[in-house]
Each structure stands twice: as C-alpha cells, then as structure tokens.
Amino acid sequence: MKNIIKTMFEALVLRSVPGVLNLAVLLILGDLLSLTHYGQFSMAIAVTGFIALVAFGPLLFSVISQHASIIKEGHGDDYESSYVSLTVLLAAGVLVAGLLIAWIGLAPAEWGIAVAAFGIYSVFQELLRAQLRPWAYGIASMSQSLIYLGLVLWLAPAHRDPLWVLNLFSVSYACAAFVSLYLLRFPRFKRPNFSLLSQSLRIGGGYIGSTIGEQSIYVGMRYIITLFGTSQQLGIFSFAVDLATRTVGFLINAASFIFIPLAFHRDANGSSESFTGTLRNGATISLALSAAAFVAILLVRELGWIPSLNSTLFNPIIFAIISLAIVLNRLKKLLADPYAMRARRPFALVIGYAVAAPPALILGAIAYNANSQHFGAGAYLAGYFLAILVTLAWLRHTSLRSSEPE
C-alpha cells in the first residue's frame, strides 16, 4: 500500500501543476469571454478534440496495452520508431485535410490545426505513459500549460475572440508535442513497420467506436443545447463541464495515467500484485481526493476569491450534477475499461455508450426545450450512468459465456 500511495503522490505532483495552470486559464477565460463566446470556444475545443481522438485513435488507444509485451519480445525500438513516424504522417494528413475543408468553407482552418496539434501531442504522451516515465510525461504536460497560460495572459485580453483563443490553444499543444518528442529521445523516423503495428492498430481501431459513443454524449449534448436551448445555457453547461473536468475529473485521470499502465506491466510480468488490486487502490485514493476538490470549489466560491465562480457563468447545482457524471465516467475508464482492453473486447465499451447516448440526448432535448437546465444536466448524468451499467453487464455476460465448457 505504501508503494501505491507513493506512486499516486508522484502522479498528483506531476499532473497537479499542469492541472492548476489549465484551471487558471479556464478561470481567466471565464472572465475575459462573454457567456456566448465562452460557449463557442468550448464547443470548438470539444469538437476538435473529438475529431482528434477519432483520427489518431488507432495509435492512441493501443500503445498502453501493447507496449509492455512488445518490449518483452525485443521489438521495442522498431515499434516506437514506427509508432512515432506514423503519427507524424497522420498529423500531416490531418493538416492537409483541414485546409481543404476550410477552402470548401465547411469549417475554419483553425479547427484543422487544433486537431493536428492536440492529436500528435496526445499520441506522444501515451507513448511516454506506456514507457512508465511519469516525470517525462509531467514535464511535457507542464510545458503545454505554461505556454498556454502565458499566451492567454499576453494576447487574449486584446483579442477576446473564440477562434483567436483556439489558436493559442493549438500553439501550446504544438510546442508541447515537440517537447514530448524530445523526451522520447527523437526516435528514428522511418517507413512504418505495419506488420509490427498491425495488432496495435486493430486493437486501437476497435476503441474508436467507444470514443464516438462517449463523445456523442459529451459533444452531442452541446449540440442539443444549441438546437433546443440558448447560447447562454450552452456557456453555463460548457463551463460546468470544463471546470469539473479540470478539478474532480482531473484527480481520477491522474490515477489512470499511472495505474492503468502499471497494472498492465504487472500483469505482463506475472507480478504477485493483482491487476484488479492495482486499479482499485488507484480508484479509492483518487475518489477521496475528487470529493475534497469538489468541496474546495464550493468553498472558494463562498469566499469570493475567484470572480468567474460568482458570475452568471457558474451554476452550483449544474456543476454538482456534471461533476458526478464526470466522476462516474472517469471511474469507468479506470476500473472497467482496462478489463475490456486486457480481454480484447472493445465492443463492451462501444455498446455501453451506444445504448446510453440516444436516451440521454432525447432527455436533454426535452429538458432544454422546456427551459430546464437542471434536468438537462441530469440527462447528461443519466447517459454516463447507463453506459456504465450496460458495459459492466456486457463484460460479465461475455466472461461467463467464455468460461462455459465447449
């Protein structure tokens, strides 16, 4: 247990500084941007992040579960070089596609740049996670946060425009991607070895369906508010999601970054410490810290220390409901998803979100059409809760079925 606490402490230290810096940026933008502009900016971040996860998903979602076994087989250098080379080629393709879409007039060119910058950074960071190098991961993450904060403080007050702020976001991630590449010791660029990557690409590709399902709730609810609510309601909902993600959700995410790859390494090396025990210990500690973070946000609001928490942008009840939704979803990623990854059953994750998204969005449309923001947030929570129930039921069903004698 002492080693678990030490590992969790390292994760929190390495992730807390970037987390606090990004939280500071969020609160600064909450003061600088109008309610409507904040909603537009947050929508752009959500949509481009979704596209990046889909475009880079085959690489992003496979390296954690595959890296340890490939290293053990002696193909680590070739795998990492192929992985990085394919990521760079994919980012270049995304940039070209984004410029073509902008030329046609379907979306701003800034969106394509954001997709490429966030995507390549995320993939490089996953490789650092798979290497069990949390300090390197933390340094790269901190560089992004510092650059973003500096650019926002320097340029955002004079340019209070959602697309301008999105450009600052992209620049920070592009710079951090280069830092990550440096910390990866610049793996040799080469023609990707697809025979070595094929298994990873198949596994990672299988998880794209899960990402689309999850994002259909995360991004889809924003479009529901756009269609059936108001721009002000979109701003309030977006601020609640962003704030909860960077506070209560961040702490469970920090645990995931450490304990999921650690569990897979212990499993691959036949460690006596169980796969399940490693994940459960991380979840227990992070859940307690998340609860403390939620209380701290409300306390800071009561003390009046941060203007944006006492503005029309912040609704405490909506924040509480959204926080619970994000905590449940992050715990699912920490506890249930690794089992599906280990058993190579990505469909368990797909079906959870696929079943949950339609009723959640329908309930959200009804709520916002009736001008009920609280019930709209409740629909968001219900979607993630239903996704968890369906995922667990499917994993249990398939496990029992596979254990039956022929």
Side-chain angles (χ1 to χ4, degrees):
M1 188 64 180
K2 185 182 293 185
N3 289 334
I4 290 289
I5 294 175
K6 177 178 179 293
T7 304
M8 186 64 187
F9 177 75
E10 289 179 352
L12 289 175
V13 170
L14 295 173
R15 295 284 292 163
S16 62
V17 175
V20 169
L21 293 174
N22 283 325
L23 177 60
V25 171
L26 169 67
L27 297 173
I28 291 169
L29 292 177
D31 289 334
L32 291 177
L33 299 178
S34 67
L35 202 57
T36 298
H37 279 172
Y38 186 89
Q40 293 171 350
F41 166 72
S42 185
M43 172 75 89
I45 294 293
V47 173
T48 54
F50 165 62
I51 296 171
L53 290 175
V54 173
F56 291 86
L59 291 166
L60 190 62
F61 301 128
S62 61
V63 66
I64 293 296
S65 61
Q66 296 296 297
H67 186 267
S69 59
I70 290 174
I71 292 292
K72 193 173 182 180
E73 293 169 0
H75 303 298
D77 290 342
D78 191 17
Y79 177 79
E80 291 181 359
S81 293
S82 296
Y83 184 87
V84 169
S85 300
L86 185 56
T87 301
V88 173
L89 291 173
L90 184 56
V94 166
L95 281 174
V96 172
L99 292 175
L100 288 174
I101 291 173
W103 181 68
I104 296 171
L106 296 178
E110 290 86 349
W111 283 31
I113 297 170
V115 170
F118 179 70
I120 195 170
Y121 165 83
S122 299
V123 173
F124 288 170
Q125 287 290 81
E126 282 296 284
L127 184 54
L128 286 174
R129 278 184 66 201
Q131 293 176 344
L132 290 181
R133 297 174 60 202
W135 286 98
Y137 179 97
I139 290 170
S141 182
M142 195 178 304
S143 70
Q144 183 275 324
S145 302
L146 286 170
I147 293 169
Y148 192 26
L149 177 61
L151 291 174
V152 166
L153 289 173
W154 179 31
L155 298 173
H159 303 276
R160 304 187 182 198
D161 176 76
L163 283 180
W164 183 270
V165 179
L166 182 64
N167 286 333
L168 304 183
F169 171 89
S170 301
V171 169
S172 70
Y173 275 102
C175 293
F178 184 82
V179 173
S180 297
L181 189 61
Y182 170 78
L183 293 170
L184 288 168
R185 304 181 184 93
F186 291 105
R188 181 170 58 92
F189 286 95
K190 50 168 283 187
R191 182 178 178 180
N193 184 346
F194 285 100
S195 62
L196 186 59
L197 291 172
S198 60
Q199 178 72 3
S200 292
L201 295 176
R202 281 196 299 270
I203 292 173
Y207 285 92
I208 291 178
S210 170
T211 299
I212 293 174
E214 178 187 4
Q215 295 292 312
S216 65
I217 301 176
Y218 177 74
V219 179
M221 192 61 74
R222 297 170 191 259
Y223 278 107
I224 288 295
I225 299 171
T226 301
L227 292 172
F228 296 96
T230 66
S231 58
Q232 290 78 19
Q233 289 173 341
L234 176 62
I236 292 170
F237 175 85
S238 298
F239 187 75
V241 172
D242 295 343
L243 182 61
T245 300
R246 286 165 176 77
T247 53
V248 296
F250 148 74
L251 292 159
I252 302 175
N253 211 29
S256 298
F257 276 107
I258 293 295
F259 287 100
I260 291 177
L262 181 61
F264 276 107
H265 271 264
R266 286 177 172 173
D267 195 47
N269 295 322
S271 172
S272 58
E273 296 191 54
S274 72
F275 185 83
T276 301
T278 300
L279 297 176
R280 284 182 177 174
N281 283 324
T284 300
I285 297 170
S286 61
L287 184 58
L289 293 173
S290 292
F294 175 78
V295 173
I297 289 292
L298 297 183
L299 180 61
V300 169
R301 178 179 185 272
E302 290 300 318
L303 294 173
W305 291 348
I306 300 177
S308 58
L309 295 182
N310 289 280
S311 69
T312 55
L313 198 60
F314 182 75
N315 183 305
I317 297 176
I318 292 177
F319 174 66
I321 297 170
I322 296 298
S323 293
L324 181 55
I326 288 175
V327 165
L328 289 176
N329 192 47
R330 292 292 171 87
L331 285 175
K332 169 186 169 296
K333 289 176 177 293
L334 176 56
L335 294 173
D337 290 13
Y339 280 96
M341 294 168 66
R342 186 173 67 163
R344 297 180 181 177
R345 290 173 180 159
F347 187 69
L349 309 182
V350 175
I351 194 172
Y353 291 119
V355 170
L361 296 180
I362 291 171
L363 288 175
I366 294 172
Y368 279 101
N369 190 55
N371 198 32
S372 177
Q373 295 188 80
H374 295 160
F375 281 107
Y380 188 75
L381 168 61
Y384 285 124
F385 183 69
L386 181 57
I388 292 170
L389 293 180
V390 173
T391 299
L392 293 176
W394 187 266
L395 281 173
R396 185 174 184 275
H397 170 71
T398 53
S399 296
L400 290 173
R401 189 172 58 185
S402 63
S403 64
E404 290 178 355
E406 297 290 338

